[in-house]
Amino acid sequence: MTQPTQRLPLERVHHVALITADYPRARRFYLDVLDAEIIEETYREARDSYKLDLRLPGGIQLELFSFPAPPPRPSRPEACGLRHLALATRDLDACLSLLQARGTEAEPVRVDELTGARFSFLADPDGTPIELYEVNA
């Protein structure tokens, strides 16, 4: 007889954590380009690093860390590990227009061959791929 399968009681993604090589530049990008709000900013003297807790539009929480001389990302986006950060939007065109007005270029819009949804990619100052994915609901 098969035992009933109990699922993990997970609810949602709590946060995404990123490491930056240039803290002031990345901080400006997430605040000025992606409209993040600061939850808390902490300088950790023992590590000579910052931890910046941010809230992106839609309530997404992002932790931005700085460390002295972090190794670069091996490649993009096919390296093992986090492939990209995907952010949902109901208006991809408005996002792309605002990004362009803020001096940030995104890739040309593509269409997901499985869902028919439109999407585009941009990168943060460290080259982390960020996908803007248009959703209907």
Side-chain angles (χ1 to χ4, degrees), residues 5-135:
T5 303
Q6 184 175 0
R7 301 197 39 93
L8 289 172
L10 301 176
E11 296 180 21
R12 59 184 170 83
V13 173
H14 183 268
H15 68 271
V16 174
L18 300 174
I19 297 173
T20 180
D22 185 335
Y23 181 74
R25 183 180 66 171
R27 185 182 188 278
R28 276 191 311 275
F29 174 82
Y30 284 99
L31 293 174
D32 296 344
V33 176
L34 291 190
D35 291 331
E37 297 174 359
I38 295 175
I39 298 170
E40 187 171 353
E41 185 172 26
T42 306
Y43 178 71
R44 301 173 311 168
E45 190 172 346
R47 296 181 183 195
D48 188 24
S49 72
Y50 281 92
K51 177 180 184 276
L52 179 62
D53 295 310
L54 298 167
R55 184 176 299 107
L56 294 170
I60 302 157
Q61 188 171 333
L62 180 70
E63 293 179 345
L64 184 63
F65 291 91
S66 70
F67 293 106
R73 183 177 169 88
S75 71
R76 128 167 217 198
E78 283 73 27
C80 286
L82 179 69
R83 182 171 178 152
H84 61 264
L85 172 62
L87 304 174
T89 178
R90 292 178 193 267
D91 191 344
L92 181 60
D93 294 325
C95 286
L96 296 174
S97 292
L98 281 169
L99 289 169
Q100 186 174 30
R102 295 172 184 177
T104 300
E105 290 297 321
E107 294 179 359
V109 173
R110 295 187 256 167
V111 176
D112 186 313
E113 61 187 47
L114 299 176
T115 66
R118 297 177 343 126
F119 65 97
S120 179
F121 279 93
L122 63 140
D124 78 359
D126 292 292
T128 303
I130 300 172
E131 179 181 15
L132 299 174
Y133 195 88
E134 195 168 55
V135 297

